[in-house]
Amino acid sequence: MRLSSSAFQGLIVVVAALGCASAATAADTDAAISALLRQKTQEFSDAGQRNDGAAMAASLDDRIVFFNEGGDMATRADMASGTPTPPSPSVRTVMTVEDWHCEVHGNVAVASFIDDQQRDAYGERFHARYRSVETWLNEGGTWRMIGSETIALNDDPRAIALPAADLDQYVGAYKAASGQIFTLSRAGTTLMAATGDGAPTAQSAEARDVFFTPGRARFRKVFERDAGGKVIGFFVRREGHDTHFARVG
């Protein structure tokens, strides 16, 4: 049987409409899964702040691969052993799931987010942020976490102001064994650092002889002095490892 031109066009419209409806349904389903997993993630974070092992274990697969922000691996049994901490009027901790992103691949979902922690303890306030990537598996209609990796996000430390005369002690050229050159200069009350022919960037002092580049708190410049107190070099320190730059010229 042959279709007329108008009938054929109508069939195309129907097929296209069904395709759009199917895509919309899939998107709605993925959005619902994302919302569910976000809720489960928030509940897991809340349970972690209470050290409620039973509540945490309820969301975990028996074979979960779990690494915390310190690089330590934990099993489901490790986390299930936690005993809820009795509430204290002097301590209040709130962990909020933010910057949520979730991709669903059938019965597997991968989510990334930031846990924003606000802790008030005995009059002192502590704030930290942790980036996590977690993988969830749906078996028998139940979503359970099968993987979790977390890193602590570094914020800039509190900076201090140093007199211009102190900053002048660091001004000069410094060379690493690789031949890389760092040049330090002063612009008003700010120490500036440039690598090779690159543009200089402002430096902030964490303490005397310890500087960092704002926005790059993983790195420190730790200066060294000779017996007479003269600056003779510095170390670029990252994750506890140093690259030495000796003063030249």
Side-chain angles (χ1 to χ4, degrees), residues 47-234:
Q49 298 309 295
R50 302 190 306 271
N51 198 36
D52 189 339
M56 287 191 289
S59 297
L60 304 178
D61 185 83
D62 289 339
R63 297 170 297 165
I64 187 168
V65 177
F66 190 101
F67 284 90
N68 65 19
E69 67 276 8
D72 302 312
M73 185 175 182
T75 65
R76 184 178 186 275
D78 292 332
M79 286 178 277
S81 65
T83 302
T85 304
S88 168
S90 301
V91 179
R92 179 176 180 271
T93 304
V94 177
M95 188 82 90
T96 306
V97 173
E98 299 178 347
D99 196 25
W100 176 264
H101 181 74
C102 182
E103 292 290 344
V104 181
H105 305 270
N107 68 331
V108 175
V110 180
S112 68
F113 60 93
I114 290 176
D115 263 330
D116 188 281
Q117 184 185 54
Q118 301 281 349
R119 178 179 173 85
D120 294 303
Y122 307 100
E124 295 289 335
R125 173 161 290 186
F126 173 79
H127 177 231
R129 297 179 303 137
Y130 307 95
R131 166 68 73 183
S132 295
V133 174
E134 293 182 340
T135 305
W136 295 78
L137 175 67
N138 186 341
E139 288 186 323
T142 300
W143 287 95
R144 288 190 175 85
M145 192 189 306
I146 60 173
S148 178
E149 300 80 32
T150 298
I151 60 171
L153 299 179
N154 294 303
D155 294 319
D156 289 346
R158 181 177 299 173
I160 65 171
L162 293 178
D166 286 359
L167 297 180
D168 284 340
Q169 297 178 33
Y170 308 110
V171 171
Y174 300 79
K175 186 176 182 180
S178 63
Q180 184 181 20
I181 297 289
F182 253 109
T183 303
L184 301 182
S185 59
R186 180 172 64 83
T189 58
T190 302
L191 187 69
M192 308 294 291
T195 305
D197 297 328
T201 57
Q203 306 295 296
S204 293
E206 183 177 2
R208 185 175 184 264
D209 291 349
V210 181
F211 287 78
F212 65 93
T213 304
R216 302 188 68 193
R218 291 173 62 198
F219 298 85
R220 295 291 191 278
K221 295 179 180 68
V222 182
F223 287 85
E224 62 175 343
R225 296 174 181 267
D226 63 16
K230 180 181 178 181
V231 174
I232 57 173
F234 68 87

